[in-house]
Amino acid sequence: MKELSLNILDIAQNSVKANASLIGISIDETDDVLSFKITDNGKGMTADFLSRVTDPFTTTRTTRKVGLGLPFLKMEAEMTGGSFSIKSKSETEYKEHGTEVFASFNKKSIDYIPLGDIIGTLCALVQGAENTDFIFNHKMPHGEVFLSTKEMRELLGDVPLGSPEVISWVREYLSEAYSAACAVD
Amino acid sequence: MKSLAELAAIRDKMKNKVALREESGETRIVVGMATCGIAAGARPVLSTFVEEVDKAGLNGSVAVTQTGCIGLCRYEPIVEVLRAGEEKVTYIKMTPEKALEVMEKHIKGGKPVVEYTIGNIEK
């Protein structure tokens, strides 16, 4: 992937497919390290599947025998000297189930891939998952950006979250929030 | 400064449009958003369609949706256009620029851009 935000989009799409009703995306950034955690309350994975999940030849795809999303992310994090972890509880074994993916990156590494268009990622997620809520926050050295689709839904009433008008609002809202959060630098 | 309160304004503005939306579905634009699509550049293609549909005021009649991998990863980003009563058109190797052209000629004009379709390649 050319941007870490594309990995975030890819991993969060797995959460959507796991029938999560709530997905948390939090990015924590200092001058040296960027880490993110994606948590969901979806159906989770069994311990057996979890142990094979970063193997490219493990996939839920039905169209091909290769799945590259998680292996890519793990490699990209480890190449920078960062770390990767995944935890999951399957709905078949636990009442409180879901998955947590964590990755950290050393920003000073030559192999560090920039975060890129995180606003584009959030717009794509909100646009595509009518039955899923997202809680996003991004902590930066001088500010923070936050978005909750739960809060948005309360105000929108019957209007679908994925309406183009609403997505335009999300794009502008986040652009302004990022300008404000980065302005102190 | 943008505020959450503006969402309430969007809701009020759209109240009278909801009826229209319910009988919509004449046109559907489906963008492949699995790992293969995302890695190939599907995100800006999707956002171009969403923005252009909003700009053109076609929210009631054109729906933009996302789908997973359809097994043609080498042709991603793939976009399918479904129009009531017409055969499905599959566009391959899409870019935001091509998306603008499809928007103008196919979605608004009714004529598929044959050049970008899978049929044009797999002949």
Side-chain angles (χ1 to χ4, degrees):
Chain A
M1 298 277 181
K2 290 185 190 118
E3 303 172 8
L4 291 182
S5 60
L6 292 174
N7 292 99
I8 293 176
L9 174 57
D10 186 32
I11 304 304
Q13 297 277 30
N14 295 342
S15 299
V16 173
K17 267 179 267 156
N19 297 323
S21 60
L22 184 64
I23 299 173
I25 300 172
S26 49
I27 307 176
D28 220 318
E29 199 172 349
T30 65
D31 291 331
D32 300 324
V33 176
L34 181 142
S35 66
F36 63 78
K37 195 189 272 181
I38 298 166
T39 51
D40 72 57
N41 61 356
K43 64 184 177 185
M45 291 173 273
T46 59
D48 175 53
F49 192 82
L50 186 63
S51 67
R52 296 181 282 121
V53 81
T54 54
D55 172 354
F57 295 101
T58 293
T59 183
T60 54
R61 275 168 195 270
T62 50
T63 48
R64 275 216 264 107
K65 288 199 175 97
V66 183
L68 289 168
L70 286 166
F72 268 163
L73 177 61
K74 183 172 190 278
M75 180 191 76
E76 288 166 10
E78 289 173 352
M79 269 178 8
T80 71
S83 66
F84 169 89
S85 71
I86 180 164
K87 295 176 199 164
S88 193
K89 286 180 174 174
S90 167
E91 64 180 354
T92 56
E93 294 161 56
Y94 295 89
K95 202 172 158 202
E96 303 231 330
H97 48 84
T99 300
E100 178 187 299
V101 175
F102 172 86
S104 75
F105 304 82
N106 175 0
K107 287 164 74 176
K108 301 280 158 72
S109 162
I110 190 138
D111 291 316
Y112 174 69
I113 300 163
L115 182 62
D117 184 11
I118 186 69
I119 296 175
T121 280
L122 290 164
C123 288
L125 286 169
V126 173
Q127 198 268 336
E130 194 49 53
N131 302 314
T132 310
D133 272 309
F134 293 90
I135 294 181
F136 170 77
N137 80 307
H138 184 172
K139 289 197 187 84
M140 286 160 279
H142 302 288
E144 188 172 355
V145 171
F146 176 82
L147 184 80
S148 158
T149 58
K150 278 191 165 178
E151 284 177 12
M152 291 174 59
R153 269 187 223 272
E154 279 169 28
L155 289 155
L156 282 169
D158 295 338
V159 175
L161 200 58
S163 310
E165 295 93 330
V166 178
I167 300 305
S168 297
W169 179 88
V170 170
R171 184 170 285 113
E172 287 167 34
Y173 179 79
L174 289 172
S175 303
E176 284 190 5
Y178 269 101
S179 308
C182 300
V184 201
D185 280 54
Chain B
M1 192 71 195
K2 288 265 150 196
S3 76
L4 282 170
E6 287 168 357
L7 293 172
I10 293 179
R11 182 191 59 203
D12 294 339
K13 199 181 78 189
M14 284 174 70
K15 250 183 200 154
N16 43 1
K17 286 197 200 161
V18 172
L20 187 75
R21 189 182 299 271
E22 271 159 9
E23 59 199 62
S24 73
E26 295 118 58
T27 300
R28 231 157 46 92
I29 304 171
V30 184
V31 183
M33 290 288 285
T35 304
C36 47
I38 294 169
R43 190 184 60 190
V45 171
L46 173 77
S47 70
T48 302
F49 279 116
V50 173
E51 275 172 48
E52 290 302 312
V53 166
D54 189 27
K55 266 194 225 159
L58 292 170
N59 302 349
S61 56
V62 179
V64 183
T65 60
Q66 302 178 28
T67 189
C69 175
I70 60 167
L72 296 167
C73 310
R74 64 192 179 282
Y75 292 135
E76 294 282 354
I78 297 173
V79 173
E80 295 176 331
V81 175
L82 300 102
R83 288 160 68 93
E86 289 174 24
E87 218 175 304
K88 176 178 81 180
V89 177
T90 304
Y91 291 106
I92 59 169
K93 299 192 174 173
M94 288 296 282
T95 61
E97 293 72 34
K98 289 180 182 175
L100 286 175
E101 207 178 323
V102 167
M103 204 52 216
E104 276 312 307
K105 294 185 179 160
H106 191 178
I107 309 300
K108 294 185 200 164
K111 285 211 177 75
V113 189
V114 178
E115 211 191 321
Y116 305 148
T117 61
I118 191 159
N120 202 40
I121 301 260
E122 290 213 321
K123 255 178 218 161

